[in-house]
Amino acid sequence: DYIYFLDSDDWIDTVSFEKIIKELENDYKNGEKIDIVVGKEKAYSEFTKEEVLDERIPRELIGKVVSGKEYMIRSIRGKFWNVRLPIYLYSRKLLTDNGIYFPAGRKSNEDEVFSIDVFYHAEKLKITDEIFGYYRARSGSIMSVLNITHAEDIFENAKELIERYRNEKNSETKEIIFFFIHISFNVVESQYERQGPWRVSMDLALWIAIIQKCAMKGSSIDTLLGAISITLSCLKSAQCFDTLLGPCL
């Protein structure tokens, strides 16, 4: 059995999806139990009515079977990592055997925490050239409009990742975790730069302003400390990250 995550405003390509399932059935008959399938998706714009296929995965990887950790490292270094869940198909057994559950109660960037757990435990990940479906780009979606609730979610995710980074011993795993922590910074930066009133440089002062707004909404002290930790760490390079963790947390 496999699990697929589909966003409410996206849709699947049934013909292509059936091909993926048949490939999995053939792999199983040949004794190959695939933990994760990586496919593609097309972005559909409500504004231009155009469809754009995401083809960032290098052609030489199509059809390959690698570990989940190897795929993450290669995609991060090769700059073709895609965190969107609808381009992946997950083995139910992989999730249940390792006690992996999707974070509940968060609306923004929760797939990053989930992805680290899943890919870390995946022994066999297969890369296919098939398309899972279509991603609808529209105004008003969670990822196109950032508010304080979303910022708090991002802070919460990154705070959890900072703690993992602090406790992790493996250098490659630390590289993966830091990558996702930095994404948290970049998401808030890019979204606020797209908002008219927030067209300012993303520096410590702006983060403090966001933290203050979170405080006005009654955020917990832990959430605010997490936000401050992200501010201090993500304004620095990965080389300075370990040094910063001591006074931050």
Side-chain angles (χ1 to χ4, degrees), residues 49-90:
K49 309 302 180 185
E50 293 180 335
E51 297 178 0
V52 179
L53 177 63
D54 184 350
E55 294 189 282
R56 286 177 292 173
I57 298 177
R59 296 297 304 174
E60 61 266 23
L61 292 181
I62 301 300
K64 299 287 187 182
V65 176
V66 299
S67 71
K69 187 175 177 181
E70 179 183 348
Y71 179 79
M72 289 194 86
I73 288 292
R74 293 182 71 164
S75 62
I76 289 171
R77 293 176 180 174
K79 298 182 179 180
F80 58 88
W81 168 257
N82 189 339
V83 75
R84 276 186 48 78
L85 298 183
I87 70 164
Y88 304 105
L89 192 62
Y90 305 94

Side-chain angles (χ1 to χ4, degrees), residues 30-43:
N30 294 325
E32 189 115 74
K33 296 180 181 179
I34 303 298
D35 294 313
I36 301 176
V37 178
V38 181
K40 297 181 178 181
E41 69 177 350
K42 282 186 177 181

Side-chain angles (χ1 to χ4, degrees), residues 95-118:
L95 303 181
T96 56
D97 284 358
N98 294 287
I100 302 171
Y101 299 94
F102 200 77
R106 301 178 196 173
K107 295 183 178 180
S108 299
N109 295 70
E110 70 280 14
D111 38 16
E112 292 162 7
V113 176
F114 175 80
S115 294
I116 290 177
D117 287 335
V118 176

Side-chain angles (χ1 to χ4, degrees), residues 41-186:
E41 69 177 350
K42 282 186 177 181
Y44 171 77
S45 171
E46 285 192 342
F47 311 103
T48 65
K49 309 302 180 185
E50 293 180 335
E51 297 178 0
V52 179
L53 177 63
D54 184 350
E55 294 189 282
R56 286 177 292 173
I57 298 177
R59 296 297 304 174
E60 61 266 23
L61 292 181
I62 301 300
K64 299 287 187 182
V65 176
V66 299
S67 71
K69 187 175 177 181
E70 179 183 348
Y71 179 79
M72 289 194 86
I73 288 292
R74 293 182 71 164
S75 62
I76 289 171
R77 293 176 180 174
K79 298 182 179 180
F80 58 88
W81 168 257
N82 189 339
V83 75
R84 276 186 48 78
L85 298 183
I87 70 164
Y88 304 105
L89 192 62
Y90 305 94
S91 163
R92 180 189 295 272
K93 190 175 187 303
L94 170 68
L95 303 181
T96 56
D97 284 358
N98 294 287
I100 302 171
Y101 299 94
F102 200 77
R106 301 178 196 173
K107 295 183 178 180
S108 299
N109 295 70
E110 70 280 14
D111 38 16
E112 292 162 7
V113 176
F114 175 80
S115 294
I116 290 177
D117 287 335
V118 176
F119 283 78
Y120 180 85
H121 288 95
E123 295 181 2
K124 292 187 177 183
L125 175 148
K126 185 171 185 178
I127 305 164
T128 179
D129 203 28
E130 298 295 337
I131 300 170
F132 276 114
Y134 295 78
Y135 159 63
R136 187 193 305 271
R138 62 181 179 84
S139 61
S141 65
I142 287 177
M143 294 312 296
S144 65
V145 180
L146 183 71
N147 59 34
I148 295 305
T149 299
H150 301 155
E152 285 182 329
D153 285 343
I154 294 171
F155 293 154
E156 195 66 28
N157 293 335
K159 184 180 68 173
E160 180 178 334
L161 293 175
I162 286 174
E163 194 62 32
R164 292 191 187 191
Y165 184 97
R166 189 181 193 183
N167 297 325
E168 182 58 51
K169 305 301 182 185
N170 182 274
S171 61
E172 287 191 334
T173 305
K174 288 173 78 75
E175 180 182 346
I176 292 170
I177 296 172
F178 181 81
F179 171 78
F180 284 105
I181 293 172
H182 208 71
I183 283 179
S184 300
F185 174 83
N186 291 336

